Structure formats: C-alpha cells, structure tokens
C-alpha cells in the first residue's frame, strides 16, 4: 500500500489519476457476459453459486491461484508471509501474488478480466467496489458469505455495509485504514507542551496551535492535495453534518454549508499562521519527520514509515472533533472474486478457501500498519499490544466511507479535489470553489446515471 519517495511521504496511493480509466464500459447486459474467443457465455450469478461450494473446502487436484494486489511497499512483506503460511498448510492449493501499483492495478484488472486473463482473487478498496460491480469485473458474494456464515457481527456494521452495492455484496473486508492525528513529541516539548496538551476538540486544537505559534512553530500544515488535505476535508465535512453526494448519486452535496464550514476551517489554519501557504505534496509529512510540524492528519499506513525513522518521537490520536459530531474518513481493503472466463468450479472453490483463510488470519495483516476487519482479531490481546493500530481502531464506530456510487472516484477527483486544492492555495473562496465543483460534478453524475442505469 505504500508509495514512499522520501522519509515521511504518503503511504497509500489510492487516488492516482490513472484510476479514472476504470470507468470504461464493458457492454454487459443482464447477468450474462460473452467473452469472445475465450469461451462460453458466463453468468456471474452462476459463478457466485459455484464459489459458495468453497465453504466446504477444496479436495480437487493441485491448483495454482493468481492473487492480485497493490501492496507495493511495507505492506507487501506481511502479505507475503501470510501467503507462504497458507501454501504450507494447503497441499493442493498454491497462491501466487502479483503486485502492481494501485493506479495501474485499477486499469489492468478490468481489462484482464474482460480478456479472460484475470486473477482468481484480488484486493480492492471499498470505494471501488461499486464501479467494478457495474462492469461485472467482480462476482457478487452473498451466497459465499452466507455459506461461510459471515455477517456484520464478525466485523462491524460500518465495515460490513461498505461491501454492499445495490443490495448485493461484492467484497469481504480485510482491514480498515482511517485517518488519525499524528503528533511530534519533540516539537511539543520544545514549546513547553506535553501529552496533557494533546487536543481532542476544536477548542483544544486551536489553543495548542496558538501556543506553538508563539514559539515560532507552525503546528498544523494544511495540504492542498488529496493526501492528506482532501481526506481532511471529507472528515471535516462529515463532522459538520454534511455529505459528499446525494444517496442516489444524482447530485453533489459537498457545497452545503457544512462543506463551506469544513473548508473554511482549513483556511483558518493557514490565515492564522498555524500552517504555511502553498504546502507541497508530502511537505507536511516531511516537516513532521524533521521536527518542524507538530500535528499531521494522515492515514494509518504511515505507522510503519514513522517507526522506521531513527530518533523520531511521535504518537497518534483519533482525529480531533472540530465539528458538531465525531467522524473520520476511512477506507477498507476488500477481498473480491473476479469474474472467470468459464464456470471453473475447482478454481472458484479453491479461491473461496483462500479468501476465508486470509480473512480469519487477519491479525498478522495488522503488522502492515492496518486495523484488521475481523472483530476477533481486533479484540485479541495481541492486537491491543499494537498500540498505534489500537488507537486507530477506536475510531471504527465513527469511520465514514465514500458512498457506494459507480464512477464516484473519478467524479470526486476531477471536481471536489480540485476545489479543495484551489481554496487551500487561496486562489478561490471556499463557497465559490465548492459551488463550481458541484455544478461540474452534477453533470458528470448525470452521465453516470445514464451510463449505469441498466447495469446489474
């Protein structure tokens, strides 16, 4: 999950521009797909029913399964160790992981599936499931999870519901990775502040930043790019009671008073001198590692990055409650079954054996700097000893995911992300930037509704 260019840089390139290519249609109708020279017509519902047989295990001949992920950084070794263990424990199933940068992954996967050369199992972010579902890149998993006896009680209602689109399940959550508030202990100590000054509310946050400013420290750098300024905005929007889009995906709602309030708070940090202007990509994190920035809104994926920096004294908290209610942006890696070129009963059953095993062994995955999705893993003594991950896990009840709307990632990237960028760079007032972005988003959403109306 990492994209480390320098110490302290972002750890999760989930939102690279190339992912917009995922919006290309595949010309599917009803539940039936024709795969040309690759084989017979395939019904995704039939494949899903066959896959459910994997809940009873796989007793067929030796088989190799292709497993595709975007785990290119520090999250790769923990997954490789899990796969090695699975392969040792299963004589007739060998899993081979192929790793591609997330930006390339979301272009490569649908094209590979359409040509009949896709993987048997893959990992996708929760906010990509809807788009993959309408393109029939992945199978519905309701029968699989029913056969495995999985439900919200095994995870959390928020995590479980994030895998559903139009009433059908498409993903099994492996983890949750929200934002948190990282703090630099050395910077706070230099300003005469200790852990008792750590902020939980807007009032606390502003008071600490003012004390830091008096010591010549700009304590909360605001990024104009998605990582992490855009994710900070989404958290603040939800805290203020707003929503990104209407529930039916027909219009943008991020330009509400809640949106203006959220973006206004980010600008206030700059205007009061708590943040420099024109913060460059990753400059907020680099300043944090160089003891020049006290607080950083960033994702859980930075835990292992900061642990690896000698001498860096840091800790993490849940993000402060700036608005009227607690809320924080989050996303989740989900295990999915891509559509296959033919029914392939053995492959589908073996794939479910692997998915089930990986889900049940997600505690090991927490070492990648994640919060495991399985409740039993989160409640274990071993996980509670993972101090930073356990703090992030406290936020699960208030984690908010982007809405399950097909094509929404591309709409957000080309409208809202640009509005946040313009406002944070002081090129447009918050209301002006958000209103312009909302008008553009509405046109794109209208196109989406026409494009995807008959899908599924």
């Amino acid at each position: 999950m990492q994209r480390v260019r320098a110490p302290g840089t972002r750890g999760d390139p989930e939102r690279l521009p190339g992912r917009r290519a995922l919006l290309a249609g595949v010309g599917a109708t009803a539940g039936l797909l024709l795969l040309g020279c690759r084989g017979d017509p395939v019904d995704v519902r039939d494949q899903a029913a066959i896959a459910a047989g994997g809940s009873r295990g796989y007793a067929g001949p030796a088989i190799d399964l292709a497993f595709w992920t975007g785990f290119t950084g520090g999250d790769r070794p923990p997954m490789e160790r899990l796969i090695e263990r699975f392969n040792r424990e299963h004589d007739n199933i060998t899993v081979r992981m192929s790793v591609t940068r997330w930006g390339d992954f979301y272009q490569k996967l649908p094209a590979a599936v359409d040509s009949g050369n896709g993987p048997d199992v893959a990992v996708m972010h929760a906010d990509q499931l809807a788009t993959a579902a309408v393109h029939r890149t992945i199978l519905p998993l309701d029968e699989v999870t029913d056969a495995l006896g999985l439900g919200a009680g095994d995870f959390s209602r928020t995590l479980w519901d994030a895998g559903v689109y139009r009433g059908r399940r498409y993903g099994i959550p492996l983890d949750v990775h929200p934002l948190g508030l990282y703090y630099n202990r050395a910077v706070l100590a230099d300003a005469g502040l200790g852990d008792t000054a750590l902020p939980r509310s807007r009032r606390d946050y502003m008071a600490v930043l003012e004390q830091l400013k008096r010591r010549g420290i700009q304590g909360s750098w605001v990024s104009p790019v998605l990582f992490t300024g855009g994710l900070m905005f989404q958290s603040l929007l939800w805290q203020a009671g707003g929503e990104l889009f209407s529930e039916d995906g027909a219009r943008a709602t991020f330009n509400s008073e809640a949106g203006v309030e959220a973006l206004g708070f980010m600008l206030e940090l700059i205007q009061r001198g708590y943040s420099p202007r024109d913060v460059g990509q990753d400059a907020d994190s680099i300043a944090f590692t160089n003891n020049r920035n006290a607080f950083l809104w960033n994702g859980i994926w930075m835990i292992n990055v900061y642990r690896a920096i000698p001498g860096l004294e840091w800790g993490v908290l849940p993000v402060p409650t700036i608005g009227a209610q607690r809320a924080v942006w989050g996303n989740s890696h989900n295990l999915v079954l891509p559509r296959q070129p033919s029914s392939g009963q053995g492959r589908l059953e073996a794939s479910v054996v692997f998915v089930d095993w990986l889900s049940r062994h997600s505690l090991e995955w927490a070492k990648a700097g994640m919060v495991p999705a399985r409740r039993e893993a989160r409640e274990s003594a071993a996980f509670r000893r993972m101090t930073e991950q356990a703090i992030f896990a406290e936020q699960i009840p208030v984690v908010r995911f982007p809405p399950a709307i097909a094509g929404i990632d591309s709409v957000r990237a080309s409208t809202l992300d640009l509005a946040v960028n313009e406002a944070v760079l002081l090129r447009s007032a918050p209301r002006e930037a958000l209103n312009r972005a909302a008008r553009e988003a509405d046109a794109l959403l209208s196109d989406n509704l026409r494009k995807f109306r008959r899908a599924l």
Side-chain angles (χ1 to χ4, degrees):
M1 180 164 184
Q2 291 187 328
R3 167 173 65 86
V4 179
R5 297 195 299 271
T9 55
R10 297 291 175 276
D12 187 358
E14 294 178 42
R15 298 294 172 273
L16 299 177
R19 294 175 70 181
R20 300 175 193 175
L22 187 62
L23 297 179
V26 299
T29 59
L32 192 65
L33 288 134
L34 296 176
L35 299 181
C37 63
R38 288 294 301 179
D40 300 326
V42 174
D43 190 301
V44 293
R45 290 164 297 193
D46 289 346
Q47 288 196 354
I50 292 169
S55 65
R56 298 184 295 272
Y58 172 70
I63 191 170
D64 283 7
L65 297 180
F67 179 42
W68 286 13
T69 79
F71 301 140
T72 58
D75 44 11
R76 181 171 183 167
M79 183 56 70
E80 289 177 333
R81 289 193 293 270
L82 280 165
I83 292 172
E84 289 170 2
R85 179 179 170 186
F86 174 87
N87 289 341
R88 288 196 305 270
E89 295 179 6
H90 295 80
D91 295 334
N92 57 348
I93 305 175
T94 300
V95 174
R96 304 186 190 280
M97 182 169 69
S98 175
V99 178
T100 308
R101 286 169 54 95
W102 286 117
D104 299 325
F105 173 94
Y106 284 111
Q107 296 183 54
K108 180 181 177 182
L109 180 64
V113 169
D114 290 344
S115 68
N117 296 301
D120 299 286
V121 184
V123 171
M124 297 187 72
H125 293 92
D127 61 351
Q128 292 297 316
L129 297 177
T131 305
V134 298
H135 291 322
R136 294 175 178 79
T137 301
I138 55 178
L139 303 180
L141 299 178
D142 303 272
E143 290 170 288
V144 171
T145 54
D146 286 348
L148 293 174
L150 294 176
D154 298 295
F155 303 92
S156 79
R157 174 54 63 184
T158 301
L159 289 174
W160 189 242
D161 288 350
V164 174
Y165 176 62
R166 292 189 183 177
R168 305 182 77 180
R169 171 161 304 284
Y170 288 91
I172 298 175
L174 178 63
D175 63 46
V176 57
H177 42 275
L179 288 189
L181 182 69
Y182 291 87
Y183 60 92
N184 185 306
R185 286 193 169 97
V187 173
L188 292 174
D190 287 346
L193 300 168
D195 285 359
T196 57
L198 295 176
R200 298 281 184 167
S201 67
R202 177 174 185 149
R203 180 178 178 178
D204 296 341
Y205 198 50
M206 302 304 272
V208 173
L209 293 179
E210 185 62 28
Q211 292 183 65
L212 289 166
K213 180 182 176 182
R214 291 172 188 160
R215 298 295 186 99
I217 300 168
Q218 292 176 302
S220 183
W221 292 31
V222 179
S223 169
V225 298
L226 180 66
F227 286 92
T228 55
L231 306 183
M232 180 181 184
F233 169 81
Q234 292 180 47
S235 299
L236 293 167
L237 171 71
W238 286 315
Q239 287 192 8
E243 296 291 344
L244 289 168
F245 302 95
S246 62
E247 189 173 345
D248 60 1
R251 61 187 179 87
T253 57
F254 52 70
N255 63 328
S256 62
E257 289 302 317
V260 175
E261 177 185 333
L263 197 48
F265 174 78
M266 296 172 69
L267 264 65
E268 184 179 357
L269 296 181
I270 300 170
Q271 292 162 346
R272 289 196 176 197
Y274 304 149
S275 168
R277 299 188 178 194
D278 301 331
V279 174
Q281 174 78 54
D282 297 324
D284 50 347
S285 183
I286 293 172
F288 182 84
T289 64
N290 291 332
N291 297 329
R292 295 172 51 223
N293 183 14
F295 297 112
L296 180 66
W297 295 54
N298 212 326
I300 192 173
W301 51 84
M302 298 304 293
I303 286 176
N304 286 342
V305 175
Y306 294 152
R307 282 176 179 162
I309 299 176
L312 182 63
E313 301 175 38
W314 61 279
V316 70
L317 292 170
V319 298
T321 305
I322 304 300
Q325 61 190 24
R326 292 185 65 201
V328 61
W329 174 92
N331 212 333
S332 169
H333 292 117
N334 274 243
L335 299 168
V336 300
L337 295 182
R339 169 171 45 88
Q340 300 299 319
S342 59
S343 57
Q345 179 168 343
R347 306 198 69 82
L348 288 166
E349 290 180 350
S351 296
V352 169
V353 170
F354 173 59
V355 166
D356 179 45
W357 186 95
L358 196 56
S359 175
R360 288 187 289 104
H361 291 80
S362 62
L363 179 61
E364 180 69 21
W365 176 237
K367 296 177 183 178
M370 299 287 156
V371 176
R374 292 292 282 253
R375 185 184 301 276
E376 62 183 2
R378 296 197 309 271
E379 294 178 349
S380 68
F383 179 72
R384 288 195 294 270
R385 289 193 292 270
M386 300 179 188
T387 305
E388 290 82 15
Q389 286 97 318
I391 291 171
F392 274 95
E394 293 174 14
Q395 301 182 111
I396 285 181
V398 297
V399 164
R400 299 288 299 272
F401 293 102
I405 300 170
I408 207 65
D409 188 62
S410 178
V411 173
R412 191 218 68 245
S414 60
T415 59
L416 175 59
D417 291 357
L418 297 181
V420 172
N421 184 273
E422 291 173 0
V424 170
L425 292 176
L426 307 181
R427 295 172 182 167
S428 295
R431 191 180 302 276
E432 174 190 353
L434 291 173
N435 282 339
R436 181 169 58 249
R439 289 192 296 270
E440 295 169 354
D442 286 350
L444 294 173
L445 291 168
S446 178
D447 289 342
N448 274 359
L449 289 176
R450 287 194 297 271
K451 187 189 309 181
F452 300 133
R453 182 176 293 118
R454 295 183 180 180
L456 302 182

